[in-house]
Amino acid sequence: MRTLISTAFVSLDGVVEAPGGEPGYRNSGWTFKDMEFVPEAFEIKGREQEEATALLLGRVSYQAFSPVWPDMAEFAGYRPMPKYVVSTTLTEEDLVPGWGETTILRSLDEIAALKETEGGPIIVHGSATLNQNLSDAGLIDRYHLLVFPLLLGAGKRLFSGTDKDTQKLRLVEHEAYSNGLQKNVLDVVR
């Protein structure tokens, strides 16, 4: 079974919306505002590209990333990687050419089936709604969280407000950086 890894920039109060400056959110770009850049805090981003063998995105994140990521040196490791987009509305014609093999998945059952295939880790970037649904369905195996020392209040959250049984996590790697950023790598305990 393949490991499904959720990776996110998250505020201390759980907001993941528009960390890089995506339009439409009042605190857009919060990962860069008033934050001293500490390169070692982002080492995990390069490691993710080296270790992952597939990229899974929700429709909104796919439509935000696909026009820019293919040409960015920082994300070169994702170019040849198979990509899966979870959407009930996208069609093949909506997919961006030149970013490698991309498959549209229509349901959580299809994601569960993908996890059963041969291959290495599948990484999920952005995709707040998809992350909530994957977590609620018990499909996420590991979280890579860069927690920013910010309280943003309103905004899309990484975890849903669904009333469900407690889900235990085991901290397997962590580090705090001089700018207050924290890296937390957590495995889901099954």
Side-chain angles (χ1 to χ4, degrees), residues 4-186:
L4 186 59
I5 301 168
S6 170
T7 183
F9 295 148
V10 60
S11 68
L12 191 59
D13 58 347
V15 175
V16 294
E17 186 170 357
E22 299 80 356
Y25 176 59
R26 70 179 294 227
N27 289 318
S28 187
W30 51 269
T31 58
F32 305 109
K33 292 178 183 175
D34 301 319
M35 286 295 300
E36 173 194 355
F37 180 71
V38 178
E40 59 270 21
F42 298 92
E43 170 275 335
I44 194 167
K45 297 288 138 201
R47 189 170 15 133
E48 288 169 351
Q49 288 184 67
E50 293 170 9
E51 295 174 0
T53 60
L55 180 61
L56 178 67
L57 298 167
R59 179 193 53 81
V60 173
S61 291
Y62 175 78
Q63 289 179 318
F65 298 160
S66 63
V68 292
W69 276 25
D71 297 325
M72 292 180 71
E74 299 95 315
F75 303 110
Y78 291 124
R79 282 186 200 126
M81 199 176 290
K83 288 151 206 76
Y84 298 89
V85 182
V86 182
S87 173
T88 58
T89 59
L90 280 182
T91 66
E92 294 293 324
E93 292 77 37
D94 296 319
L95 299 178
V96 172
W99 199 25
E101 175 190 345
T102 304
T103 304
I104 298 172
L105 302 177
R106 302 289 184 198
S107 69
L108 291 175
D109 289 339
E110 288 186 77
I111 298 167
L114 174 64
K115 283 186 61 174
E116 295 295 329
T117 62
E118 293 293 320
I122 303 164
I123 194 128
V124 182
H125 278 277
S127 310
T129 301
L130 176 59
N131 263 292
Q132 290 177 1
N133 292 330
L134 292 169
S135 178
D136 288 350
L139 293 173
I140 295 177
D141 302 297
R142 174 173 275 197
Y143 291 94
H144 289 182
L145 305 179
L146 285 178
V147 182
F148 286 71
L150 302 168
L151 300 175
L152 298 174
K156 291 180 186 172
R157 304 226 181 278
L158 181 61
F159 300 102
S160 76
T162 303
D163 185 11
K164 59 183 177 183
D165 291 339
T166 300
Q167 175 65 71
K168 293 183 181 181
L169 305 173
R170 179 176 46 255
L171 186 65
V172 295
E173 182 182 341
H174 64 92
E175 192 161 349
Y177 302 96
S178 61
N179 62 355
L181 197 61
Q182 296 177 28
K183 172 179 64 181
N184 294 301
V185 177
L186 304 123

